[in-house]
Structures are given as structure tokens and as C-alpha cells.
Amino acid sequence: LLKHTSGEVSEMVALWRVVARYPIAVRKEPSNDEAALLSPPEHVKPNQVLRVSEVRVGDGEATQQWLHLADGGWVYTAKEIRGAMVSLVEPHGAGASLNV
């Protein structure tokens, strides 16, 4: 997330928290394709707070967002389970962000 202040650009990092009860695979790009998975596999864990530098809306799905982790890699915020979209990662605290 970039913030423009008085002609300068500073990078902002938003905080998100994993609300899923299971680990979520980190991907090298915002894609559900198996080829996007990191090798060796990496995961974010339940209740982990993530530092996010970019948020993208998924192709064709308004409820699907991709989070670019400040440390590298991508995770998705929601997954369809039994016909309903379920939130896996949510913003952590009201307006939580950090200057980097």
C-alpha cells in the first residue's frame, strides 16, 4: 500500500489476521493454479498477523482478494466451501497500518 504525503511516497503496510482454523498456502503469484504454489511449500498459520503491502481483487470474483505479503508471496482472503464464500483472512484492527 503506497501513501502519498507532501510529494513523497512512503510504503504503508496493512495488518491482516488469519481467521481460518487451518494453514493457508503461500503462492508466488495471485493465482489458484497449482503452479503458483511455492516450492518448498510455505504456509501462514491460524491467528497469524500478516504484513500486507498490496491488495488485489480476484479475477471475476468480487469477494476474492489477494494479499501481497510484505515478506513476499501471496495469499487469498476467502474460499468457496460448500457453495458459500468463507473468509480466511481479515483486516486486523480498525485501520491498522505501519510505515515502513
Side-chain angles (χ1 to χ4, degrees):
L1 303 171
L2 297 177
K3 181 180 179 183
H4 299 272
T5 53
S6 57
E8 294 181 18
V9 177
S10 63
E11 189 174 341
M12 296 289 292
V13 175
L15 300 178
W16 290 65
R17 186 174 65 84
V18 178
V19 295
R21 291 180 275 171
Y22 50 86
I24 301 169
V26 178
R27 298 164 183 274
K28 52 187 160 191
E29 59 189 45
S31 171
N32 286 322
D33 292 338
E34 290 291 320
L37 292 170
L38 292 177
S39 180
E42 292 182 26
H43 295 83
V44 294
K45 297 177 178 37
N47 293 314
Q48 183 176 344
V49 175
L50 309 175
R51 294 168 23 112
V52 174
S53 60
E54 181 182 352
V55 179
R56 286 192 193 172
V57 175
D59 292 336
E61 295 186 47
T63 55
Q64 178 70 29
Q65 293 180 315
W66 288 93
L67 306 178
H68 189 215
L69 305 178
D71 298 341
W74 294 83
V75 295
Y76 49 80
T77 60
K79 182 176 184 174
E80 187 173 332
I81 300 174
R82 295 186 194 110
M85 287 302 278
V86 176
S87 183
L88 304 176
V89 183
E90 296 178 347
H92 181 64
S97 62
L98 303 169
N99 281 325
V100 240

